Amino acid sequence: MEWYEVALGLLGLLIVLIGLGLPIPFALAAASLPFLWQIQTFNTSLVSAQLKLWGVWINYILLAVPLFVFLGELISRSNIGANLYMFLHRGVPIRGSAAYGSIGACAGFGAVSGSSMVGSLTIGGVALPEMLRLGYDRRLASGVLAAGGTLSVLLPPSLILLFYGIVTDQSIGQLFMAGIIPGLLLASFFVIVVLIWARLHPAHVPDRDTGPRLALIQIAVSLGPIIVIGGVITVSIYGGIATPTEAAAIAALVTVALAVGVGGLRWKGFGEALMATMRTMGYLGLLLSAGVLFGFVLNYYRVPQQVTELFLAFELSPYMVLALVILFYIALGMFLEPVSMTFITLPVIIPLILAAGFDLIWFGIVYTITMEIAVLTPPVGLNLYVISGISRGKVSVPDVIVGSLPFIVALVVLVGVMIAFPQAALWLPEQVR
């Protein structure tokens, strides 16, 4: 079969299967098998599929995924995230402190957990009712929290960067380091969005909070766990003490102790965290395995290489290629969630990016920012539904969409900054390389 027949056949079959409601992992595998049978017998292809599945589950680097997921679930079921938000908001004599506190709490949560949805759920569950009670406009409140969750994807540890590193065979530590400055820039951009919103619509932001400040012991309980967990991850990985997998294991153990000791976690919450981690990993494990099988078929028929040669034949400039790739991901992000896009598309896109001459560590940050846009764009913007769901009917999905639009603009601006100033992502990795 010709490569373009395989590419169109895989894509068409995948779209049909997803449209029929088949879960994406099974759709990926089912779309791959007919083309695998063209090069292998039925029995051999079954063995190949089993080996791909086994190869994913025994991958040492991938052990970091369930550990970081478990860490995030522990924090979301304890009071650690809630305490952090209350510290950043309560008694702060600044107009809009609850909105700024939400951004800061999401950034702090991002430093210890890599899931955008869990970040929005954890901080949003505490912050959204408080902001609505204080009189914030529901669109502003929901937009801040939906967008704030994306900080968990960019600031290390990030599951998307972890998956990107696995698929592209790039250093996880380098990718994590590259996300720090862009993550802090994004938090700053979100603060600027709130400042502009408050200036344009003064009625949407209440006067400064004059409530009582937290006592010193409450401040220690609020900040201590985040500092300790984030410090363990940062120092162990970037200090060369441990691999990302080992750092995740140590951090998960420390989080258990802190969640129980100061976060109020009980056996019920611990069990729920375990079950949620197993459910998440059941899906991710199948997705990873199916993605590997899908990539094997693509590479056997040389689809990525042929796509790259096709683009090179048009003699497009590198930045034109990059612009097309970014637009492709923004459009695709309206219909697929980021993890699925990572395993479906990167095997084809990465050779094209390499041929255009871009650094893969830098592109990993640009890619991750586009994934952040994906979780805020309907109809499959996960963070939009999370925030609407935790509002218990007080905020509709259209309200969250409208509230998220200025923050999506901030994300687009950040992409432009990364393109204009690549060193914003590459400077830190170069210093520790």
Side-chain angles (χ1 to χ4, degrees):
M1 298 180 70
E2 296 293 336
W3 71 269
Y4 55 85
E5 294 175 329
V6 174
L8 293 174
L10 275 171
L11 181 61
L13 189 53
L14 184 62
I15 292 172
V16 169
L17 293 171
I18 293 175
L20 292 174
L22 197 66
I24 291 176
F26 297 105
L28 273 173
S32 304
L33 287 176
F35 298 94
L36 190 62
W37 293 336
Q38 298 294 318
I39 55 177
Q40 295 179 349
T41 65
F42 178 79
N43 290 334
T44 305
S45 64
L46 289 179
V47 173
S48 296
Q50 293 168 4
L51 289 175
K52 298 298 179 186
L53 178 66
W54 178 249
V56 165
W57 284 101
I58 64 171
N59 188 319
Y60 175 73
I61 297 176
L62 284 176
L63 284 175
V65 178
L67 291 168
F68 280 129
V69 171
F70 181 52
L71 188 153
E73 294 291 346
L74 285 171
I75 294 176
S76 70
R77 284 168 171 75
S78 69
N79 297 325
I80 292 176
N83 290 340
L84 177 65
Y85 171 71
M86 297 312 294
F87 164 74
L88 292 169
H89 153 55
R90 184 180 291 173
V92 178
I94 300 173
R95 185 166 181 259
S97 62
Y100 304 132
S102 298
I103 295 169
C106 288
F109 188 88
V112 294
S113 174
S115 170
S116 174
M117 188 172 66
V118 173
S120 289
L121 187 62
T122 302
I123 304 301
V126 180
L128 185 59
E130 179 72 2
M131 292 179 73
L132 294 177
R133 183 187 67 80
L134 291 170
Y136 282 81
D137 178 76
R138 65 182 185 277
R139 292 177 176 176
L140 171 60
S142 59
V144 164
L145 294 167
T150 65
L151 292 167
S152 297
V153 180
L154 195 54
L155 288 167
S158 162
L159 291 182
I160 294 298
L161 283 175
L162 183 61
F163 291 140
Y164 175 90
I166 292 167
V167 173
T168 61
D169 196 27
Q170 297 298 300
S171 166
I172 305 298
Q174 295 284 307
L175 286 166
F176 282 179
M177 186 66 75
I180 293 177
I181 292 178
L184 295 176
L185 280 175
L186 183 60
S188 302
F189 289 170
F190 286 172
V191 168
I192 293 171
V193 169
V194 175
L195 282 169
I196 295 173
W197 193 316
R199 182 64 61 89
L200 295 177
H201 305 283
H204 291 182
V205 180
D207 291 333
R208 65 184 61 185
D209 183 5
T210 57
R213 292 173 179 266
L214 295 178
L216 286 177
I217 185 66
Q218 292 174 306
I219 293 175
V221 169
S222 301
L223 285 182
I226 297 296
I227 292 174
V228 171
I229 298 168
V232 167
I233 296 171
T234 303
V235 173
S236 57
I237 292 178
Y238 306 136
I241 301 171
T243 65
T245 301
E246 293 162 348
I250 297 169
L253 185 61
V254 170
T255 303
V256 171
L258 291 173
V260 172
V262 299
L265 185 71
R266 295 296 176 260
W267 278 112
K268 181 181 179 182
F270 183 80
E272 289 174 349
L274 280 175
M275 290 302 298
T277 301
M278 287 189 283
R279 283 194 296 269
T280 300
M281 288 312 302
Y283 175 83
L284 288 180
L286 290 173
L287 181 60
L288 288 166
S289 305
V292 169
L293 188 64
F294 191 80
F296 171 77
V297 172
L298 285 174
N299 281 300
Y300 180 87
Y301 287 100
R302 293 181 52 80
V303 173
Q305 294 83 350
Q306 294 293 337
V307 169
T308 301
E309 291 179 11
L310 180 63
F311 268 86
L312 291 177
F314 288 112
E315 297 183 351
L316 298 175
S317 70
Y319 287 100
M320 180 61 72
V321 172
L322 180 64
L324 291 173
V325 169
I326 291 172
L327 290 173
F328 164 74
Y329 275 123
I330 290 175
L332 190 63
M334 296 180 181
F335 305 98
L336 282 179
E337 45 85 23
V339 178
S340 299
M341 281 192 284
T342 300
F343 291 97
I344 293 172
T345 64
L346 280 183
V348 176
I349 296 297
I350 288 303
L352 188 60
I353 294 298
L354 280 172
F358 293 110
D359 184 278
L360 289 188
I361 296 292
W362 170 83
F363 179 71
I365 302 305
V366 173
Y367 172 79
T368 302
I369 298 170
T370 63
M371 294 302 100
E372 294 177 277
I373 296 173
V375 299
L376 294 177
T377 50
V380 191
L382 297 178
N383 285 20
L384 305 177
Y385 298 101
V386 167
I387 296 300
S388 179
I390 62 178
S391 74
R392 298 178 181 176
K394 295 181 181 178
V395 181
S396 66
V397 173
D399 284 334
V400 188
I401 294 172
V402 172
S404 298
L405 289 177
F407 299 96
I408 293 175
V409 172
L411 286 163
V412 173
V413 170
L414 183 60
V415 171
V417 170
M418 291 300 104
I419 294 172
F421 306 100
Q423 286 302 113
L426 295 176
W427 182 77
L428 269 180
E430 288 174 354
Q431 300 308 304
V432 298
R433 186 166 290 168

